[in-house]
Amino acid sequence: MSKTIIVSNRLPVSLQHKNGKFEFKPSAGGLATGLGSIYKEGENIWIGWPGNDVADENQRMEIVEELRKLKMAPVFLTKSDVELYYEGFSNETIWPAFHYFTQYINYENDYWEAYCRVNQKFCDAILESANDDDTIWVHDYQLLLLPMMLRNKLPKATIAFFQHIPFPSYEIIRMLPWRKEMLEGMVGSDLIGFHTYDDMRHFLSAVGRILGHSNESGFIQADNRLINVDAFPMGIDYDKFASAAASKKTLNHVKKFKEMLGDQKLLITIDRLDYSKGIPQRVKAFDQLLEDHPEYHGKVSMIMVVVPSRDRVKSYQALKEEIDTLVGSINSKFSTLNWVPVHYFYRSFPFNELSAFYTMSDIALVTPLRDGMNLVCKEFVASKSQKQGVLILSEMAGASKELVDAILVNPNDQEGVKNAIVEALSMDEEEQELRISSMQSSLKKYDIFQWVKVFMDRLKHVKERQTDLESKAMDNKIREQMVQAFKSASRPIVFLDYDGTLVGFKSRPQDAFPDEELKSLVKTLSESCQVVIISGRDKETLGKWFKGQKVDMIAEHGVWLKKKDQKEDWVLYADVDDSWKDDIRKVMEYYVLRTPGAFIEEKHHSLVWHYRKVESGLGDLRMRELFSHLKYMARGHNLQVLEGNMVLEIKRPDINKGRAALAMMRGEDYDFVMALGDDWTDEDTFKAMPKSAYTIRVGYTYTQANYNIKNPKEVRVLLNSLIS
Ligand code: GDG
């Protein structure tokens, strides 16, 4: 039976060493709870690093056994793996790059090698239990290469990836020497999820520019596999925080803490120690508040929890020192015998104490410089059962896209943050209730369980779309049937598109000439059937490339025809009315002048604006502008504007490959008809073919054709099987 495997760098457990034995306690974190509904079911399992370094084989066996009881399996990492892959490439290369801290990026080849090696270790561990019909959901930036490693071994498996941290602009990604491999690793997935739309569009742009895969509404077609990229803003276990806030345990803590603090307005801040969280900037803003507003002295305190994290990394040690100094300075400047401005804790707290902090605080100050989502702000809002409290939230946190009723601030704007605190301190109760209630209803609806469900539903949807496309894939049975029909036919005809069908794309169109293998294939094929080359190419090129071959040719999408036994030259099939060209050419020239790299190609019946050599992005932008400009003009001239592969073409609508193909067949009685093509111009051919024809579209995409085939290489194999 198929199963689901969750994979993350760390397993959601905490290790306890009791009476000389390892004991693992499952973590109560939001993600672990949300995914609990998955990995605890049936044969499902969670695979990851248990977080400790164990060299002894007996101890490892013991750990495997303990984890098995929790439905988990370990990937053991050595000390050097942890140093180079985890602390190194993950936290000193990817983390700073993806959070826009380029000054902290460490470009170490040793780190990269370890990253590849450890991703492979994860892959091997997964392959021990995974099958082709399983679903594997990989989490986060430590495992970017894993989806493709798994895809290579389990081509049919359902593989998903979710990234918990931001995905930065292409400008940052391009700085990393390993950018291509990292993206290739990710596109091994069927579904790739991010917290926000911005992350998703940055990823799509990087994939377009670096891997050359375009997308349509978040669907990428890479190596004939359909991949979906989408935004899934992660939620929290809302009910857990809401009910904890009203629980006896939490309320006892609140009572105790409040007695100690006296009558004060409280600001809460909670983060892992990290430069992305903007902790020093926040302390400085609070410092400025106390400088500018002495009336708050003795009346407002900040509770600042900094959870120790990555303290072996140099930049984190420096950050810790900076925070210590800033807090020391503010407290020494403003403290009185009965009031301390900042209560600073460099440690973590048990859940109910954390819940008490959220419950009793008037304001949460969540001001990261960059954050994938940020769950602390959501947990604060969920804990406000009295519907009183104000959230000040950084625009740079993914959560700000959803929590628009917070006071949104730019964390670099010290004055702005200070003013936001003043606004929060003086906000009336009615407004607080309005804002908190609105945020609560959203958080309640889009909680962690909903997040998991939406993600898994989407994954199912992508697989269904893939299956839809593959249902037209040409299998051996159909191939044999076709070969039989061809061999027993007395009057067969085969229509062959050229670019993308018989040959792959080249960056310079003139380089796509027929190779020797193709020439001899066409020659042999033309001895056993009527072959028609049907292309958008001009007649001169086709004529030159197929000179001496016994083939019929249709050039420029049906403007020109040439029969194999025809002595005279090309025949103009459609009468060409050129009167519209001057007006349109002028417009196209204007767009060429504004766009370095663009050029115009003139065909008998059409004008084509090419932008494959234009800076990526700019080309698309100009093409869109030109498209709407031409669409407007086309109406007056009764023309058709069509978007192609890096081209925009304007032509008469009545000229197309389908019409020309029909003309070629008129009056003849064919008993085998086959048409192969790879783009929208070939769809006209497919539509025009008789019902009994074998119509085949190259590439897995939606089509009017009866079948899909992978690529030009497969086309040649198929044609060879007709004549062998
Ligand atoms: C990454 C992304 C994204 C904190 N202190 C204590 C404690 N916590 C818990 C909080 C919260 C979690 O830790 C922190 O989560 P964040 O989302 O704020 O930040 P990261 O750790 O950086 O997480 C982030 C997240 O992944 C999920 O995708 O939102 O953007 O960076 O749940 O409650 N818990 C306890 N005691 C503490 O002292 N018990």
Side-chain angles (χ1 to χ4, degrees):
M1 211 179 78
S2 66
K3 61 184 172 301
T4 300
I5 302 173
I6 305 286
V7 190
S8 62
N9 171 59
R10 271 299 303 269
L11 282 173
V13 283
S14 58
L15 172 73
Q16 285 171 344
H17 213 182
K18 258 193 191 163
N19 311 326
K21 271 193 75 180
F22 285 114
E23 253 179 43
F24 286 101
K25 239 183 101 192
S27 134
L31 181 66
T33 312
L35 294 174
S37 56
I38 297 182
Y39 79 94
K40 289 184 183 160
E41 292 290 310
E43 293 296 297
N44 301 351
I45 188 168
W46 191 323
I47 297 179
W49 174 44
N52 49 325
D53 148 44
V54 190
D56 182 89
E57 201 43 49
N58 289 330
Q59 284 191 337
R60 284 191 172 191
M61 301 279 280
E62 199 188 311
I63 287 175
V64 170
E65 194 43 40
E66 283 307 313
L67 287 174
R68 202 180 51 79
K69 296 180 197 156
L70 300 172
K71 311 270 326 259
M72 294 179 199
V75 179
F76 290 110
L77 301 184
T78 64
K79 255 205 172 84
S80 130
D81 287 342
V82 176
E83 250 172 60
L84 303 172
Y85 142 82
Y86 177 64
E87 291 165 357
F89 199 77
S90 302
N91 291 341
E92 287 187 41
T93 309
I94 302 185
W95 180 276
F98 283 29
H99 286 85
Y100 293 78
F101 284 84
T102 52
Q103 71 276 30
Y104 293 143
I105 302 176
N106 216 333
Y107 299 92
E108 291 282 340
N109 219 37
D110 282 358
Y111 286 1
W112 167 248
E113 279 165 15
Y115 188 78
C116 299
R117 187 180 70 234
V118 174
N119 270 254
Q120 190 59 54
K121 236 183 207 184
F122 272 81
C123 180
D124 297 343
I126 295 162
L127 291 175
E128 276 178 31
S129 53
N131 297 313
D132 241 345
D133 59 348
D134 288 339
T135 297
I136 308 170
W137 185 0
V138 180
H139 286 261
D140 230 357
Y141 64 103
Q142 300 91 351
L143 300 171
L144 297 181
L145 308 181
L146 186 55
M148 190 52 95
M149 288 174 171
L150 290 167
R151 174 70 58 207
N152 290 336
K153 295 284 178 191
L154 303 170
K156 295 225 165 330
T158 302
I159 302 172
F161 177 81
F162 185 82
Q163 181 161 303
H164 292 260
I165 66 172
F167 196 92
S169 141
Y170 162 73
E171 288 303 324
I172 304 282
I173 290 294
R174 70 195 294 212
M175 294 170 74
L176 302 174
W178 314 280
R179 61 217 175 169
K180 189 159 177 270
E181 290 86 339
M182 290 160 75
L183 293 173
E184 277 168 353
M186 294 171 84
V187 300
S189 322
D190 297 302
L191 176 63
I192 302 174
F194 297 98
H195 281 305
T196 70
Y197 171 72
D198 280 341
D199 299 321
M200 158 187 171
R201 81 185 164 79
H202 286 151
F203 176 75
L204 288 171
S205 132
V207 164
R209 284 157 181 249
I210 297 168
L211 300 186
H213 299 317
S214 57
N215 82 91
E216 220 170 274
S217 309
F219 280 92
I220 304 174
Q221 185 104 24
D223 193 23
N224 283 316
R225 221 162 29 80
L226 194 67
I227 301 159
N228 188 206
V229 180
D230 210 341
F232 301 90
M234 189 172 149
I236 56 166
D237 184 351
Y238 184 90
D239 290 340
K240 179 179 160 190
F241 283 88
S243 61
S247 74
K248 229 179 174 170
K249 227 169 161 183
T250 295
L251 293 174
N252 282 341
H253 284 305
V254 170
K255 190 161 172 269
K256 196 173 70 194
F257 293 157
K258 281 209 145 180
E259 273 166 16
M260 289 188 230
L261 288 161
D263 187 18
Q264 302 242 6
K265 287 274 186 187
L266 296 173
L267 264 83
I268 179 81
T269 90
I270 301 178
D271 315 84
R272 260 184 325 95
L273 176 71
D274 202 290
Y275 44 78
S276 65
K277 304 285 182 184
I279 304 170
Q281 290 80 350
R282 192 183 306 160
V283 179
K284 285 181 196 161
F286 189 56
D287 192 337
Q288 204 192 325
L289 175 93
L290 297 179
E291 283 285 354
D292 297 353
H293 294 272
E295 69 273 22
Y296 291 135
H297 293 193
K299 304 213 172 77
V300 179
S301 298
M302 182 158 143
I303 299 175
M304 189 167 96
V305 178
V306 177
V307 180
S309 160
R310 305 177 194 173
D311 42 16
R312 288 160 54 117
V313 178
K314 251 205 200 123
S315 46
Y316 287 71
Q317 289 162 1
L319 174 69
K320 166 75 172 44
E321 278 169 27
E322 188 187 355
I323 299 170
D324 288 356
T325 310
L326 284 167
V327 174
S329 151
I330 188 172
N331 279 349
S332 58
K333 211 169 7 167
F334 299 108
S335 290
T336 60
L337 282 176
N338 59 356
W339 173 65
V340 180
V342 182
H343 298 272
Y344 170 37
F345 305 94
Y346 183 61
R347 57 170 192 264
S348 65
F349 285 85
F351 175 70
N352 279 97
E353 292 183 30
L354 186 82
S355 165
F357 284 160
Y358 285 141
T359 310
M360 71 193 208
S361 298
D362 302 280
I363 299 167
L365 198 50
V366 183
T367 55
L369 301 176
R370 206 52 82 158
D371 216 334
M373 173 52 70
N374 192 293
L375 301 179
V376 167
C377 58
K378 295 190 169 184
E379 295 166 1
F380 169 76
V381 172
S383 306
K384 291 291 158 203
S385 38
Q386 304 301 314
K387 307 213 184 291
Q388 290 299 299
V390 183
L391 172 64
I392 300 175
L393 178 59
S394 161
E395 302 162 350
M396 308 295 178
S400 68
K401 310 275 156 56
E402 188 182 346
L403 300 178
V404 288
D405 287 304
I407 300 180
L408 295 178
V409 291
N410 175 343
N412 300 302
D413 174 8
Q414 193 170 304
E415 188 69 18
V417 176
K418 183 201 78 179
N419 291 339
I421 303 175
V422 173
E423 186 188 339
L425 285 168
S426 49
M427 189 180 285
D428 65 47
E429 292 185 352
E430 217 173 301
E431 182 165 358
Q432 291 185 39
E433 181 166 348
L434 221 69
R435 291 182 183 233
I436 289 282
S437 308
S438 146
M439 293 191 280
Q440 283 184 342
S441 64
S442 163
L443 293 178
K444 211 171 175 164
K445 186 166 169 196
Y446 301 104
D447 68 1
I448 185 73
F449 304 103
Q450 179 67 6
W451 179 78
V452 171
K453 183 177 179 309
V454 168
F455 190 90
M456 292 312 261
D457 285 352
R458 188 71 186 167
L459 186 55
K460 216 168 117 204
H461 169 76
V462 180
K463 283 315 255 191
E464 278 165 9
R465 278 192 65 170
Q466 288 178 350
T467 316
D468 252 15
L469 287 178
E470 280 161 18
S471 65
K472 280 189 163 190
M474 167 142 324
D475 58 21
N476 281 340
K477 205 171 133 206
I478 311 239
R479 191 184 298 255
E480 274 165 31
Q481 196 187 336
M482 191 183 311
V483 172
Q484 278 317 314
F486 179 80
K487 292 199 164 147
S488 53
S490 52
R491 189 104 174 79
I493 184 167
V494 175
F495 290 92
L496 299 173
D497 165 53
Y498 187 75
D499 293 278
T501 300
L502 293 178
V503 294
F505 279 102
K506 293 271 175 351
S507 50
R508 292 179 344 140
Q510 63 269 36
D511 291 344
F513 51 81
D515 50 85
E516 287 310 315
E517 181 197 73
L518 179 61
K519 280 186 190 160
S520 109
L521 172 63
V522 170
K523 183 171 180 290
T524 322
L525 190 64
S526 64
E527 282 158 11
S528 37
C529 68
Q530 182 177 348
V531 175
V532 186
I533 305 288
I534 180 165
S535 165
R537 291 257 183 188
D538 58 76
K539 64 182 188 341
E540 290 72 24
T541 309
L542 279 193
K544 190 171 82 191
W545 285 354
F546 288 93
K547 197 170 174 197
Q549 293 268 21
K550 295 230 159 301
V551 295
D552 299 325
M553 284 180 274
I554 296 174
E556 291 195 28
H557 300 119
V559 177
W560 299 97
L561 301 189
K562 187 171 169 149
K563 289 272 203 183
K564 60 173 185 265
D565 32 17
Q566 186 177 294
K567 290 274 171 308
E568 68 273 33
D569 209 10
W570 290 82
V571 175
L572 188 63
Y573 170 64
D575 52 331
V576 178
D577 166 20
D578 264 0
S579 56
W580 54 273
K581 275 190 176 166
D582 286 346
D583 281 358
I584 303 283
R585 196 185 301 104
K586 268 188 212 132
V587 174
M588 281 190 167
E589 268 162 8
Y590 169 68
Y591 282 84
V592 167
L593 283 179
R594 292 173 61 212
T595 319
F599 64 94
I600 300 168
E601 182 191 2
E602 178 156 357
K603 296 187 182 177
H604 287 86
H605 75 299
S606 73
L607 283 173
V608 191
W609 193 81
H610 287 258
Y611 64 99
R612 79 175 66 204
K613 288 183 178 162
V614 178
E615 179 191 351
S616 125
L618 178 66
D620 277 316
L621 179 77
R622 287 284 188 272
M623 187 273 285
R624 296 261 147 254
E625 274 181 66
L626 178 59
F627 194 100
S628 50
H629 202 149
L630 290 183
K631 237 168 92 179
Y632 171 74
M633 293 181 74
R635 258 180 263 150
H637 289 288
N638 188 25
L639 296 165
Q640 187 182 24
V641 190
L642 295 164
E643 197 187 323
N645 191 0
M646 296 292 190
V647 296
L648 198 63
E649 181 156 13
I650 183 157
K651 68 177 191 73
R652 279 201 8 218
D654 52 341
I655 295 173
N656 63 51
K657 287 181 175 176
R659 188 163 164 246
L662 272 185
M664 184 68 80
M665 289 196 292
R666 195 163 298 133
E668 305 284 345
D669 199 10
Y670 295 103
D671 54 356
F672 177 93
V673 182
M674 178 173 160
L676 279 143
D678 77 305
D679 70 15
W680 50 267
T681 63
D682 302 301
E683 292 294 323
D684 288 325
T685 317
F686 302 146
K687 270 185 267 173
M689 292 289 116
K691 265 211 172 82
S692 58
Y694 291 96
T695 48
I696 306 165
R697 170 107 183 215
V698 185
Y700 289 101
T701 189
Y702 288 102
T703 177
Q704 299 271 345
N706 306 126
Y707 305 107
N708 290 96
I709 194 166
K710 201 168 175 186
N711 51 31
K713 209 168 136 202
E714 295 281 307
V715 169
R716 293 188 187 195
V717 173
L718 177 73
L719 294 178
N720 263 311
S721 63
L722 295 181
I723 51 184
S724 59

